[in-house]
Amino acid sequence: MLDNIVKTIINTAKSAVPQAIDAAQRNELVVNTLKKLKLDPTQPPKDVDGVYVYALVEYGVDKNEPILKLFREKEIKNAFWSAYTSNNPMGFYNKVEEFLDWNILGDEIRELGVDVRSELEEFGRKFIDVAKRTKSPEFRPYPDWNFDEYPAEFKSLIMEKIKGFCGREFVFKEFGNFINKNSNGYFTVVGDAGMGKSAIAAKYVYDHKSPCHFNIRADGRNKPELFLESIRKQLIRRYELQNTDKVNLSALLQNVSENLGGQKLVIVVDALDEVEQSGGGNILDFPTTLPDGVYFFLTRRPYERDNKRLSVSPGVGMTELDLRGSEYRGLSRDDVKEYIGFMLNADPDYGVKLQKWVEEQKIKKEDFIEQVADKSENNFMYLRYVLPDIAKDIYRDLSLRELPDGLQDYYQDHWKRMGMEDRPQKDKVIVLFILVESRTLPSLEVIAEWARQDESDVEDVLKEWVEFLSKQEVEGEVCYSIYHASFLDFLKGKRKLDSARKLFEEVNARMADDLYSDV
């Protein structure tokens, strides 16, 4: 049956349009092909076989023959449905790779340079889309059909953090030494706000495709239960674990260790200082013992000994690399200078404008790099904000000596430039207060509702503070949060944003009503 369906898809596409097709032509092909197969173009069938065929048509009208022939194979169809029902897309990918290793289709697909992973992901998403249109309970719950090695909720953060990433080789070298010397353990990178800890974590995840969790206080993504849920999903997916949906972290890692086959598992966890956790015990309920071959790569801000909350049994490796240490200052400065040089000479967004600024100030590039490095105090977050501001001519009439010193001075300088201390800023203060205090990710519409302001006025405020905000799409809406914990702390320290102010009484009440409306 599938053989005839694939032939129909191929022949319809060939006879209709011999060249590349646009969206309208493609849609017409889909409709014509469905009609030839006696399927209703407006309503998919409700059975699994019917949805598979329907999805194959919507996915495949402009695909190469070998990839279409792959989906007609009974073994592939069964593997797909098994992966769908077990929420295990990587298991499907692995089965397909095994099939292509011995089947002649593998040679044909490789010869065409087809990206099999992306094709399997595209087909799966199309199947889910068709399944949803049937409204049949047989297809629920819909799986998380994500073929990235890292979770979808952290993808944009990871890509943002590694943009222009420079240096830090000494950190990765130290971690490599730690792994070589220990059969398991916890390795922690400690540093002040803005020293690049999250970027280091993101770079390691990106390079090694490690399971990961980024604690983000501003998003409310900083609870032990959310960490465990995220890591559990990643490990189940990666190692095709069975019957581990409810187990704790220790049992989960033990289960994984039995599937490592001599390989090593590194789990990256960023920003332990942002974790919100009550009770005693280890932070995020980290196990005191670890199976061999299991390592945690952690980051956090400096802490008092009483707040470490990480105790391990004898034999479990544990070490810290403090980015503030005297032995690392020179290496960090080299990395900072490399980053400034990249922004000046190669950054696609700001490089040309930075070079123009340097020329207008009659400064040598080498002097610019050295002086900005001095001002930065080895703080990458400072550079992330200040260099674009220089490129935007915000400091056009200032010498380098008048740039703010360090991250906190930069925050204060921006606070003043926004007029927050010069005149009454009631509406602007309310918007900032909402961003600081919100325990969810509010959209523009929600912020305006809580603030009792026009959306256009709120949008103007958000634009003024755009470099400090993180935007994330949630259910089709753009939602906002404070970009970095250090800026959130800075704002929390401002008397104008004190939650006890009478100005915020009604705002607090509206936010609380929404928060508990579903409880």
Side-chain angles (χ1 to χ4, degrees), residues 223-270:
K223 311 290 194 303
E225 59 272 19
L226 296 179
F227 159 73
L228 178 58
E229 179 185 0
S230 174
I231 292 299
R232 182 190 283 131
K233 284 182 180 178
Q234 293 175 63
L235 294 180
I236 289 174
R237 182 165 167 259
R238 180 175 298 235
Y239 295 102
E240 301 181 39
L241 304 178
Q242 302 296 323
N243 304 317
T244 52
D245 292 344
K246 303 295 183 182
V247 302
N248 61 27
L249 183 59
S250 183
L252 184 66
L253 295 177
Q254 184 59 47
N255 203 315
V256 169
S257 71
E258 297 167 6
N259 292 270
L260 287 177
Q263 299 296 310
K264 300 185 186 304
L265 167 65
V266 176
I267 298 175
V268 177
V269 186
D270 180 55

Side-chain angles (χ1 to χ4, degrees), residues 11 36 62 117 146 164 167 183 208 224 228 275 287 291 351 418 447 488 504:
N11 292 334
K36 284 186 178 182
D62 54 356
R117 181 188 291 258
N146 171 34
S183 59
H208 300 275
L228 178 58
V275 172
M418 292 299 101
I447 295 172
L488 187 63
F504 301 133

